Amino acid sequence: MRSAVNDLLGAYDKLIMDPVHGGIPLYRHEIKVIDHPLFQRLRNICQNDILSLVFPGATHSRFLHSIGVMHVGTRMFRSMIDAYLRERQLSDQTDLSLSQLDAIDYLAKTIRLGCLLHDSGHSSFSHQFTQARRIHDLMSRPDRFDDLWEGVDYSIYHSARPEELEHEHYSVRVAHDVLSSIDLDSAGLDVRDVIGIMETTEVRPSEAFCRHARTFWNFIAGEDAESGVLSEADTPRLVMDLLSSIVSGEIDADRADYMLRDGFHSSVTIGGFNLDHLLSNLRFGWDVREPWLGLAITQKGLGALEDFVYSRHQMYRKVYAHKTALGFDWLLREAINEVLEDPEIFDWVDTCLSDMRYFAELTDSYFWEAFRKVARRQPSSYSRCIVDRIKLDHLDTREDLSARGIRDHRSWLARELNLDPEQVVTCSMRARFSNIQDNFNGIKVLVRDPINRARSLKKITDISAFFSKFSDGTISHFYVRPDVLDARRAERVEQVE
């Protein structure tokens, strides 16, 4: 039974060597996706903006991260399939039919492409790009979305025009162009189904997906599927939600890869987790009463999940919110605003954000060259701080301050140091764990009765007290503006002379 699944899902055409996961196999149609210019541009976009100015090894790209997410997503799905087949085989020796094998194959390949393209819309410097004030204003232009989709019916993917564009909207747009340019039909897949499991979309699945989803549901849920509680129309949406949770959820392929990859390249191993142990304890969970179909974890796998969450928590605190890293993020945003003061650069970036023919031009390299030009002309510029790694002088760090508390502490620092309050820079990162308890209630714990082996699902917070330990949290760093630093350095030089 399991060898049949491996034979069906194992006919790969190429192998990419990855420093984190080892050999990552690819299908022919995936090679065409990766070779597309809009995907190749991800080679020139750093996964962690300019984190390498603090952790020198963190130069890895969105390109390899995207391929890694595809690999982890595949492992997640296949691990759950393998576990289910193993348990079914022990109980009733059920063999897989061809329709079941086809359904598993279709869903697995859909997951792979959804994972591969999930970050394809990131622009220069990833998340910091859209947080720059002038870029945010550009992205908020009312007609931007219509310009981006000119000549294409976006209603296939979006039920309404978004008020403000995020990188996820660009990922959908990129995915449409990339998948439309290859012969996806020869792979037996439909572009709507792939984009339907990506964020921000509302898609009516293809007939093929609906057919495979019903086969998969009947296979997984068994007697519950035969109870008639769910209509045939409900099943495709449940299965699509399951696939979406693998691409983007609380336990998803994206987080699993970037935590391993960022830790590896940053040489930081704080609170590491065992991916193999975590995946081996994932299961399909369902409840026809809600109705719900999603990820469940065995009781013995709770320790691996706790390690996963703790590792993520520590990476945010010790790496992503590092005082020097957040200071450089602030300088980066100001440098982007600075170079966009040039009308020619502003107009070109505006064009690239509206026209997919030029979107591939938005890479880190484009802005690094712009920074260098400004730095040569203006030695006191933010661009020079980035080019020459001139960091902000750190004054203080406080946690869990309110917006009012941040303003008050900033004013206090200014008074104590005889500075104008505007000369004190504040950078804050809100811990992404404020709703962790509620979010993880969407993941169930699979509990088996030791006598009759009947399975039941429990809320994760009913089984483990670990997740209740996380609460709202904000880390705020306070710095001195670089122009003040330059003045003070000049004063010190004069005093020495």
Side-chain angles (χ1 to χ4, degrees), residues 262-459:
D262 294 353
F264 175 84
H265 288 284
S266 303
S267 299
V268 173
T269 56
I270 301 169
F273 73 99
N274 189 318
L275 180 62
D276 293 335
H277 188 204
L278 179 64
L279 296 187
S280 68
N281 285 284
L282 286 181
R283 300 291 187 272
F284 296 113
W286 64 88
D287 189 335
V288 294
R289 294 167 300 177
E290 292 191 33
W292 175 79
L293 175 63
L295 304 183
I297 191 155
T298 65
Q299 280 184 284
K300 71 175 184 177
L302 278 175
L305 179 58
E306 291 169 0
D307 287 345
F308 175 83
V309 174
Y310 181 69
S311 176
R312 186 172 144 217
H313 180 260
Q314 289 293 76
M315 284 293 291
Y316 272 97
R317 292 183 61 84
K318 306 300 183 183
V319 177
Y320 308 135
H322 188 283
K323 65 181 188 299
T324 309
L326 284 192
F328 274 122
D329 284 345
W330 184 87
L331 288 168
L332 174 63
R333 294 191 295 271
E334 291 303 313
I336 292 172
N337 292 330
E338 194 172 60
V339 300
L340 287 172
E341 292 174 4
D342 182 327
E344 184 177 347
I345 293 177
F346 182 89
D347 290 342
W348 178 240
V349 172
D350 186 21
T351 299
C352 293
L353 288 171
S354 294
D355 194 325
M356 294 307 295
R357 291 175 299 175
Y358 308 111
F359 184 68
E361 301 289 333
L362 286 180
T363 63
D364 294 1
S365 304
Y366 175 81
F367 277 93
W368 274 110
E369 186 56 36
F371 295 156
R372 292 187 184 96
K373 288 180 180 178
V374 173
R376 286 195 294 270
R377 295 195 305 265
Q378 304 175 36
S380 61
S381 62
Y382 294 115
S383 295
R384 179 170 171 262
C385 291
I386 296 298
V387 172
D388 290 344
R389 197 187 178 275
I390 301 172
K391 65 181 180 179
L392 296 177
D393 269 8
H394 181 252
L395 298 176
D396 197 12
T397 296
R398 287 288 186 270
E399 293 194 24
D400 300 331
L401 291 179
S402 63
R404 173 73 178 272
I406 291 173
R407 289 195 300 270
D408 289 347
H409 191 64
R410 179 185 176 196
S411 298
W412 178 82
L413 285 170
R415 288 195 305 272
E416 291 296 309
L417 296 171
N418 197 28
L419 297 170
D420 187 289
E422 292 302 314
Q423 295 172 332
V424 178
V425 172
T426 303
C427 297
S428 296
M429 176 174 281
R430 187 163 184 80
R432 302 185 181 187
F433 300 90
S434 56
N435 296 318
I436 197 167
Q437 184 171 343
D438 292 335
N439 288 342
F440 270 95
N441 277 336
I443 300 168
K444 312 298 184 185
V445 180
L446 180 62
V447 179
R448 288 192 179 276
D449 187 292
I451 306 301
N452 58 20
R453 305 296 294 167
R455 53 187 284 158
S456 61
L457 295 170
K458 302 289 186 182
K459 284 186 175 181

Side-chain angles (χ1 to χ4, degrees), residues 1 85 88-89 91-96 100 219:
M1 183 195 312
L85 292 176
R88 285 285 294 270
Q89 192 173 21
S91 61
D92 55 21
Q93 299 293 325
T94 303
D95 288 328
L96 288 173
Q100 289 168 340
F219 163 61

Side-chain angles (χ1 to χ4, degrees), residues 59 80 89 157 159 207 224 250 260 278 298 303-304 443 455:
T59 58
M80 290 186 286
Q89 192 173 21
Y157 313 120
S159 60
E207 290 184 8
D224 285 339
E250 281 305 315
L260 292 173
L278 179 64
T298 65
I443 300 168
R455 53 187 284 158

Side-chain angles (χ1 to χ4, degrees), residues 14 28 46 82 89 106 116 118 131 144 161 192 203-204 218 230 243 304 344 352 355 385 387 401 410 477 482 493:
K14 190 173 183 179
R28 186 174 291 107
C46 194
D82 285 346
Q89 192 173 21
Y106 191 92
L116 184 62
H118 83 287
Q131 293 181 32
R144 176 80 58 194
R161 183 186 295 108
R192 291 170 294 173
V203 170
R204 176 177 292 181
N218 291 332
L230 296 179
L243 305 195
E344 184 177 347
C352 293
D355 194 325
C385 291
V387 172
L401 291 179
R410 179 185 176 196
H477 298 300
V493 170

